[in-house]
Amino acid sequence: MGEILDGKKLARELGEKLGSEVDSLKEHGVSPKLCVINIGDDPASKVYVASKKRKAEKLGIKQVVYQLPADESEEDVLKLIDSLNADPEVSSLMVQLPVPPQINADRVIERIDPEKDVDCLTPANIGRLWQGKHFVEPATAAGIIALLDHYQIDLTGKNAVIVGRSNIVGKPLAALMLERNASVSILHSRSRNLADLTKQADILVCAVGKAEMIKADMVKEGAVVIDVGINWVDGHLVGDVDFAPVKEKASWITPVPGGVGPLTVEFLMEEVIKLTRRQHGLD
């Protein structure tokens, strides 16, 4: 039976460390400031923005939310980004996704100064990530690596299979795992014989947003299973992994809730601190 990879516990420990780092910055006269642009009334986005704001306030990080109407023009969003890029007090900046259809998400993200790109989504920072020369990482991917490190799960030579090819989890996690000398495969909706491929994984990550799609017969005995999925089913939060049966086969497994989720917000705050230190020459 698999042991639990407790992301919630690790997030609490990291939170104490981050609080000390914020205090240290303030001793140098530096206050981290995160600006979040949220466009429209997407309910999930509002929940995410609120959770980030609570965590920032707890750590002593100033967070300003620019809540824009759903019919906001792309031109006005770009002007706002330009003004925040130019503001020396703003250490980090993000646009909450998704955005309304009249706004081109790629153009908006590309406008963010890479030095303030806390989500690591600008083309420059994505390039640095794949080159192994990054100074910022996407929060969820960074949290997964930290969780594996915390439980002393070595990636060297392991066959890592990631189900999901998003720019915020699947692709950046592949880059970070390659840095740790894993052999990485990325699977997706067009992959053939999915179960045959997932059964080869020493470390299996699922991040597709499809409730309990990974069944026990798709998992190798003794695999490490990381569930990034967040799905509501009959009023309950479940992951992309059929947890109870898979737990019987896995060596380690993340629960939902309490696994990767708490680390995502924690590591977003860590990226804010890293960017702040870099901008003030405190690396």
Side-chain angles (χ1 to χ4, degrees), residues 22-64:
V22 172
D23 292 341
S24 176
L25 283 170
K26 290 183 176 178
E27 288 174 4
H28 287 87
V30 175
S31 295
K33 182 177 179 180
L34 167 63
C35 291
V36 179
I37 300 173
N38 190 44
I39 311 163
D41 301 310
D42 181 75
S45 292
K46 289 195 169 183
V47 170
Y48 295 147
V49 169
S51 67
K52 292 166 188 170
K53 191 170 182 64
R54 285 195 301 271
K55 176 55 68 174
E57 289 173 349
K58 186 175 180 180
L59 293 173
I61 294 172
K62 184 176 182 181
Q63 178 173 320
V64 179

Side-chain angles (χ1 to χ4, degrees), residues 139-149 169 173 177 205 226 228 260 263:
T140 301
I144 291 169
I145 295 296
L147 188 61
L148 294 170
D149 285 348
V169 181
L173 181 59
M177 285 184 156
V205 182
I226 308 290
V228 189
V260 174
L263 291 169

Side-chain angles (χ1 to χ4, degrees), residues 58-78:
K58 186 175 180 180
L59 293 173
I61 294 172
K62 184 176 182 181
Q63 178 173 320
V64 179
V65 178
Y66 293 85
Q67 179 61 55
L68 306 180
D71 60 355
E72 189 72 76
S73 71
E74 183 178 304
E75 181 182 0
D76 285 343
V77 175
L78 293 173

Side-chain angles (χ1 to χ4, degrees), residues 96-206:
Q96 183 68 45
L97 300 176
V99 294
Q102 80 275 12
I103 293 173
N104 183 306
D106 289 338
R107 273 200 296 268
V108 165
I109 289 168
E110 286 173 12
R111 197 66 160 253
I112 297 172
D113 181 349
E115 294 287 337
K116 299 187 179 188
D117 170 27
V118 73
D119 273 338
C120 191
L121 288 176
T122 56
N125 283 338
I126 291 171
R128 291 185 179 100
L129 190 68
W130 284 98
Q131 289 178 328
K133 299 177 181 178
H134 45 91
F135 53 81
V136 66
E137 301 83 38
T140 301
I144 291 169
I145 295 296
L147 188 61
L148 294 170
D149 285 348
H150 181 74
Y151 285 94
Q152 299 181 334
I153 297 169
D154 187 10
L155 288 168
T156 302
K158 299 290 178 61
N159 186 17
V161 174
I162 302 168
V163 187
R165 55 180 169 180
S166 73
N167 290 331
I168 59 173
V169 181
K171 291 176 184 176
L173 181 59
L176 294 177
M177 285 184 156
L178 284 170
E179 281 185 19
R180 300 300 186 91
N181 299 312
S183 299
V184 183
S185 302
I186 302 178
L187 310 183
H188 46 79
S189 60
R190 302 291 180 89
S191 297
R192 297 180 180 178
N193 305 316
L194 187 71
D196 291 340
L197 297 170
T198 58
K199 282 189 290 190
Q200 297 176 31
D202 301 310
I203 299 170
L204 177 62
V205 182
C206 194

Side-chain angles (χ1 to χ4, degrees), residues 206-211 213 228-231 239-240:
C206 194
V208 294
K210 187 174 179 181
M213 68 166 288
V228 189
I230 299 174
N231 310 282
D240 290 350

